């Protein structure tokens, strides 16, 4: 059975910022790292996330100054999270139901492990579906009949 970590997320560099960081600095960091979301922390504790969508809706559209607005003011506080052993299809369902594009992955003790994006999930689920389809085609063609028996 596939798991979020290590099957979907692996070798990820965490991008953690303090709640007092200006939105403009966080946005530059997002651009430099080519990411669409950052996790806001207080020490090792996850406080929230801020995404490109948050910047658009909560800063730009509201006429706030990104240089003077701290990320803690516009973040999504106490976000839903996933565990490393959660299944990718369950994560996809949650993200679809709640219209998330990003969701933090944390350990049972609250340690921050990564950020799952819908792009990560799309790539993984697409590969899984292609593998399943190939297996079915081989079975139907009789090329894998009895394999593993």
């Amino acid at each position: 059975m596939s798991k979020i970590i290590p099957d979907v997320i692996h070798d990820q560099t965490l991008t953690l910022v303090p709640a007092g960081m200006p939105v403009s600095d966080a946005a530059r960091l997002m651009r430099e790292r080519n990411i669409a979301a950052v996790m806001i922390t207080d020490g090792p504790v996850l406080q929230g996330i801020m995404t490109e969508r948050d910047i658009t809706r909560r800063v730009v559209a509201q006429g706030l100054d990104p240089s003077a607005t701290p990320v803690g003011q516009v973040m999504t506080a106490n976000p839903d999270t996933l565990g490393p052993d959660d299944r990718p299809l369950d994560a996809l369902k949650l993200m679809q139901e709640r219209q998330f594009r990003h969701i933090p992955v944390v350990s049972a003790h609250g340690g921050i492990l990564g950020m799952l994006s819908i792009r990560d999930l799309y790539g993984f689920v697409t590969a899984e579906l292609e593998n399943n389809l190939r297996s079915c085609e081989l079975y139907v063609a009789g090329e894998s009949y009895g394999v593993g028996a």
Side-chain angles (χ1 to χ4, degrees), residues 56-78:
T56 301
R57 292 179 177 186
R58 297 178 183 170
V59 180
V60 176
Q62 298 295 322
L64 299 178
D65 178 358
S67 298
T69 304
V71 296
Q73 182 179 327
V74 296
M75 71 182 181
T76 299
N78 303 310

Side-chain angles (χ1 to χ4, degrees), residues 12-35:
Q12 186 180 72
T13 300
L14 297 178
T15 303
L16 311 174
V17 302
M21 177 182 272
V23 169
S24 58
D25 290 351
R28 276 190 284 282
L29 184 61
M30 291 163 68
R31 182 192 65 214
E32 290 166 8
R33 296 191 178 177
N34 196 30
I35 57 175

Side-chain angles (χ1 to χ4, degrees), residues 4-146:
I4 297 296
I5 295 178
D7 299 313
V8 181
I9 295 177
H10 43 80
D11 301 323
Q12 186 180 72
T13 300
L14 297 178
T15 303
L16 311 174
V17 302
M21 177 182 272
V23 169
S24 58
D25 290 351
R28 276 190 284 282
L29 184 61
M30 291 163 68
R31 182 192 65 214
E32 290 166 8
R33 296 191 178 177
N34 196 30
I35 57 175
V38 293
M39 291 179 274
I40 292 82
T41 59
D42 182 8
V45 179
L46 179 67
Q47 299 294 309
I49 67 170
M50 184 183 70
T51 67
E52 293 170 325
R53 184 185 287 181
D54 294 327
I55 294 170
T56 301
R57 292 179 177 186
R58 297 178 183 170
V59 180
V60 176
Q62 298 295 322
L64 299 178
D65 178 358
S67 298
T69 304
V71 296
Q73 182 179 327
V74 296
M75 71 182 181
T76 299
N78 303 310
D80 288 333
T81 60
L82 295 168
D85 295 332
D86 286 341
R87 296 175 351 150
L89 287 177
D90 293 336
L92 185 61
K93 182 178 178 185
L94 175 67
M95 292 174 84
Q96 180 182 21
E97 287 173 354
R98 306 239 176 112
Q99 298 182 359
F100 296 154
R101 294 181 189 170
H102 300 86
I103 188 165
V105 180
V106 299
S107 70
H109 303 291
I112 301 167
L113 302 174
M115 176 77 83
L116 181 67
S117 74
I118 197 69
R119 184 182 313 153
D120 298 329
L121 272 176
Y122 176 77
F124 178 81
V125 170
T126 299
E128 284 284 296
L129 290 172
E130 288 172 355
N131 287 336
N132 289 342
L133 182 58
R134 272 192 294 277
S135 294
C136 288
E137 288 171 344
L138 289 173
Y139 179 78
V140 169
E143 296 176 30
S144 66
Y145 185 73

